[in-house]
């Protein structure tokens, strides 16, 4: 991936159910291995680093006409465990959690190392990942945050039913979520509905928005408006939050299938956290050109 490091900025394009990502691999060993192909005696002190990922850089790469395009940008760095992951939204803001990106990167690292289990760190905390067989990857997204100040909300209130139209449920999964249960998700104009909820006064850090329809005892149809992004085909953390909200409200059990616009995830809220299982895809690798990067300065 880093064979063209001196000429540009390498990246990978991945997606989980159409929820798409640009991934930058900034692990020192990856950079060093590539540089040593041309400079056999190179040491870590001679390895160029990636440019700092600023909001402006994230926005530029994320633009679907003038850049590459993504729902989230993920950066892999060395960490205390197998790797550390940092996430940026398309508007340049950061997010502590991104479930689908975590699953995609976990699959990439498993294929790279031959491991079937990983220990990843994020700003959300430590996350476990494992090979679930049949090309699927499972990630433990941690325990949900159910208290108003953990999510966070603007003031103390019952998080099960918020004091706003539709009485949605608030959940934290390392990022804030607001889940509405409706009779028909396709009857909602999400493009018109999502922005107002994302910026609602009850959510000081904005929120991801889900509209969810109960199909059966352990089956949900859901659509997503992501904070800092807009409508996305899927969202792992939103799926986890919706599963937790549905279970808390007695609408489902704790293990369920969630059908999103881009496909299906399986969520299981266990004693050790919320497990998310689904497919992933590494679509292509590329290099951002020096002229593109220079145009941003």
């Amino acid at each position: 991936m880093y064979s063209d490091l001196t000429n540009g900025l390498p990246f990978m394009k991945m997606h989980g159910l159409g929820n798409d990502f640009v991934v930058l691999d900034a692990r020192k060993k990856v950079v060093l291995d590539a540089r040593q192909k041309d400079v056999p005696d190179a040491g870590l002190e001679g390895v160029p680093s990636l440019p700092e990922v600023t909001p402006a850089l994230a926005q530029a790469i994320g633009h679907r006409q003038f850049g590459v395009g993504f729902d989230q940008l993920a950066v892999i760095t060395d960490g205390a465990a197998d790797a550390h992951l940092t996430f940026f939204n398309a508007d340049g803001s950061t997010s502590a959690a991104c479930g689908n990106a975590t699953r995609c990167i976990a699959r990439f690292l498993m294929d790279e190392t031959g491991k079937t289990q990983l220990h990843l760190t994020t700003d959300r905390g430590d996350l476990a990942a494992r090979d679930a067989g049949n090309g699927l990857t499972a990630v433990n997204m941690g325990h949900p945050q159910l208290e108003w100040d953990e999510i966070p909300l603007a003031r103390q209130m019952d998080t099960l039913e918020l004091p706003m139209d539709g009485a949605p449920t608030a959940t934290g999964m390392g990022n804030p979520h607001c889940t509405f249960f409706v009779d028909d998700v396709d009857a909602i104009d999400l493009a018109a509905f999502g922005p107002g909820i994302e910026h609602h006064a009850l959510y000081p850090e904005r929120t991801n928005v889900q509209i969810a329809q109960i199909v059966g005892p352990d089956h949900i149809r859901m659509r997503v408006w992501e904070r800092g992004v807009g409508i996305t085909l899927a969202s792992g953390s939103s799926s986890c939050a919706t599963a937790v909200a549905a279970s808390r409200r007695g609408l489902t059990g704790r293990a369920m299938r969630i059908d999103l616009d881009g496909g299906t995830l399986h969520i299981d809220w266990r004693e050790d956290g919320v497990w998310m299982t689904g497919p992933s895809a590494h679509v292509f690798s590329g290099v951002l050109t020096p002229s593109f990067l220079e145009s941003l300065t």
Side-chain angles (χ1 to χ4, degrees):
M1 179 179 172
Y2 273 83
S3 59
D4 293 323
L5 184 61
T6 57
N7 298 319
L9 177 60
F11 68 92
M12 295 179 284
K13 187 70 185 290
M14 301 179 175
H15 78 82
L17 303 179
N19 187 195
D20 66 328
F21 318 102
V22 164
V23 180
L24 304 178
D25 193 342
R27 291 173 295 164
K28 287 184 178 179
K29 181 180 183 299
V30 173
V31 180
L32 177 60
D33 287 348
R35 292 293 292 148
Q36 283 182 329
K37 293 177 183 178
D38 299 319
V39 187
D41 296 328
L44 280 177
E45 67 280 356
V47 177
S49 60
L50 290 175
E52 179 186 359
V53 180
T54 62
L57 177 59
Q59 286 179 321
I61 299 173
H63 198 291
R64 295 194 182 276
Q65 286 73 43
F66 296 106
V68 180
F70 61 72
D71 291 331
Q72 276 81 31
L73 170 69
V75 182
I76 311 173
T77 53
D78 297 305
D82 290 298
H84 183 80
L85 309 182
T86 305
F87 306 107
F88 296 82
N89 295 316
D91 68 350
S93 61
T94 58
S95 178
C98 183
N100 280 328
T102 300
R103 195 175 69 256
C104 287
I105 294 169
R107 171 54 56 188
F108 167 73
L109 294 174
M110 287 180 195
D111 290 343
E112 176 188 71
T113 63
K115 294 182 177 181
T116 58
Q117 298 185 63
L118 294 174
H119 176 187
L120 304 173
T121 58
T122 69
D123 291 344
R124 154 74 163 147
D126 291 9
L127 304 180
R130 62 177 177 82
D131 182 356
N134 299 315
L136 302 178
T137 305
V139 173
N140 183 348
M141 294 297 293
H143 294 286
Q145 297 154 316
L146 306 180
E147 298 299 323
W148 72 274
D149 53 343
E150 296 176 327
I151 293 170
L153 299 175
R155 61 181 186 275
Q156 185 172 3
M157 66 189 73
D158 180 6
T159 62
L160 190 61
E161 294 190 5
L162 299 183
M164 52 193 289
D165 289 345
T169 297
T171 310
M173 289 301 308
N175 48 9
H177 296 270
C178 186
T179 307
F180 293 81
F181 292 96
V182 301
D183 294 332
D184 182 2
V185 296
D186 295 314
I188 305 296
D189 184 352
L190 187 55
F193 182 72
I197 304 302
E198 176 187 350
H199 295 273
H200 196 282
L202 289 183
Y203 284 89
E205 297 180 4
R206 299 182 293 161
T207 185
N208 298 282
V209 183
Q210 304 87 38
I211 51 173
Q213 174 184 340
I214 304 299
V215 179
D218 297 300
H219 186 186
I220 290 176
R221 165 82 172 103
M222 186 185 81
R223 299 187 66 211
V224 181
W225 175 277
E226 282 203 75
R227 176 183 64 163
V229 181
I231 295 174
T232 57
L233 296 178
S235 169
S237 62
S238 289
S239 297
C240 293
T242 295
V244 169
S247 180
R248 289 179 67 202
R249 294 177 75 139
L251 301 174
T252 65
R254 292 170 69 102
M256 67 201 70
R257 163 184 173 173
I258 296 188
D259 294 335
L260 302 111
D261 289 343
T264 297
L265 289 174
H266 293 274
I267 310 297
D268 191 357
W269 183 14
R270 305 178 191 173
E271 291 300 317
D272 62 343
V274 184
W275 283 86
M276 170 192 61
T277 303
S280 60
H282 180 177
V283 183
F284 65 88
S285 297
V287 179
L288 298 170
T289 66
S291 59
F292 172 78
L293 297 173
E294 289 168 5
S295 72
L296 306 179
T297 59

